[in-house]
Amino acid sequence: MKRFYERLREKYAGCLVKVEEVKEMEPNAKEYLNKLAKAGLIEKVRWGWYWIPNKIKDPWDFFEKDRGFKIVSYQTAASLWNKDFVHRDSYALKVSDRSYGKALEEFAKKRGWRFQVEYVDKPRNYKKVGGLLIEDMGKTIIECISRWAFMDAFATLYSNRDRIKLEDLSEQSYWRRIRGTKVRVRQALEYGCYLINESVGKEMFHVRKPKLEDEYVRREIDEAIEKVVELG
């Protein structure tokens, strides 16, 4: 068992591990993991999952050390793309393994962290940055708008305006709607871009003034753009 523990530390330090996966390394893995957890050498997270301890400073440190497949998404991805314009204490992740997602949530709960984990059958539109997998910038902007996170979305767009093709975003967002409304993400996107142009007094984005009849959505975007331009 000592040799098994050494191999665990060597390969999985800082990671959540699934019993079934470790069985490939050691047939008696289930028994050994249980004994190691009772001895306080590793941590049982939930049924079928353990954490192999390593020093971790915060959730970001854990994300980089843990080898499970997860994508930093939505507002959390936006905070990376827009240099933490809106600081949030919850972390949005996408996973392709439901069991792993449950383990992530349980692991976070024990540490007082807030993880919002969503299962996605076929994850795409992401890139590797350092030790993290992050939802790509265009996808992040569209997802944030669809979820009413207008400030996150437009701060990302504004701070990366030289790297983003608005035509591509408009095309990708045409069929998406803001949750709970009939407003297309494309309408909100172009309306926000028009407001940015008006606020800075020059055409930063090539858009015509779009129709946006939903007064509540319009007011929310107005407030978001005001803060983004003021602080950006």
Side-chain angles (χ1 to χ4, degrees):
M1 192 170 73
K2 181 181 177 182
R3 176 57 184 152
F4 172 67
Y5 175 58
E6 290 173 351
R7 291 169 67 194
L8 272 182
R9 291 279 303 161
E10 186 178 311
K11 188 174 181 180
Y12 295 107
C15 300
L16 294 173
V17 295
K18 192 174 186 178
V19 174
E20 292 304 315
E21 179 184 346
V22 186
K23 276 185 178 180
E24 298 177 6
M25 183 171 73
E26 167 56 58
N28 297 314
K30 185 176 181 179
E31 176 190 347
Y32 290 169
L33 288 167
N34 186 47
K35 287 182 177 179
L36 289 169
K38 287 181 177 179
L41 296 173
I42 65 175
E43 177 185 327
K44 185 173 183 177
V45 177
R46 69 187 306 268
W47 186 86
W49 286 90
Y50 291 83
W51 182 61
I52 313 306
N54 197 5
K55 290 183 179 179
I56 48 174
K57 297 178 291 184
D58 52 31
W60 292 112
D61 194 23
F62 167 70
F63 294 155
E64 292 208 29
K65 288 174 179 173
D66 177 62
R67 293 170 49 181
F69 180 85
K70 58 197 167 300
I71 301 170
V72 177
S73 59
Y74 310 134
Q75 289 101 313
T76 312
S79 72
L80 295 175
W81 294 125
N82 63 37
K83 299 179 175 62
D84 208 22
F85 184 87
V86 182
H87 179 74
R88 299 184 185 277
D89 293 320
S90 62
Y91 302 83
L93 304 166
K94 289 181 179 177
V95 300
S96 57
D97 182 327
R98 293 183 191 276
S99 178
Y100 173 61
K102 295 290 185 182
L104 276 173
E105 290 175 329
E106 192 62 33
F107 181 79
K109 183 179 179 181
K110 290 179 178 179
R111 283 155 181 77
W113 299 342
R114 294 170 57 202
F115 286 5
Q116 299 171 346
V117 182
E118 182 175 308
Y119 169 76
V120 180
D121 185 33
K122 296 179 180 178
R124 50 181 175 267
N125 300 116
Y126 61 88
K127 58 177 60 180
K128 188 169 185 178
V129 179
L132 301 173
L133 295 180
I134 306 173
E135 200 164 53
D136 75 37
M137 200 182 300
K139 178 73 170 175
T140 296
I141 292 170
I142 292 170
E143 291 292 342
C144 283
I145 292 176
S146 74
R147 293 167 184 257
W148 293 84
F150 299 134
M151 201 181 307
D152 302 79
F154 287 109
T156 300
L157 180 66
Y158 186 76
S159 60
N160 294 280
R161 53 192 176 275
D162 296 329
R163 300 170 57 189
I164 293 176
K165 290 186 178 180
L166 185 60
E167 317 87 74
D168 292 345
L169 276 185
S170 294
E171 184 178 337
Q172 294 168 29
S173 62
Y174 184 80
W175 295 108
R176 294 292 301 276
R177 296 186 188 276
I178 295 174
R179 289 185 172 186
T181 76
K182 295 181 180 180
V183 179
R184 294 186 191 276
V185 170
R186 179 176 179 175
Q187 288 176 285
L189 173 67
E190 294 181 350
Y191 177 73
C193 288
Y194 175 81
L195 282 185
I196 291 174
N197 291 344
E198 292 288 293
S199 299
V200 300
K202 63 179 180 179
E203 187 178 81
M204 301 187 77
F205 301 100
H206 183 60
V207 291
R208 293 179 295 177
K209 185 176 182 178
K211 291 182 180 180
L212 186 53
E213 297 177 356
D214 189 309
E215 184 179 345
Y216 185 72
V217 172
R218 195 168 61 241
R219 187 165 64 247
E220 290 292 303
I221 295 176
D222 289 349
E223 292 179 5
I225 296 302
E226 183 180 350
K227 291 178 181 176
V228 167
V229 173
E230 177 187 349
L231 300 174

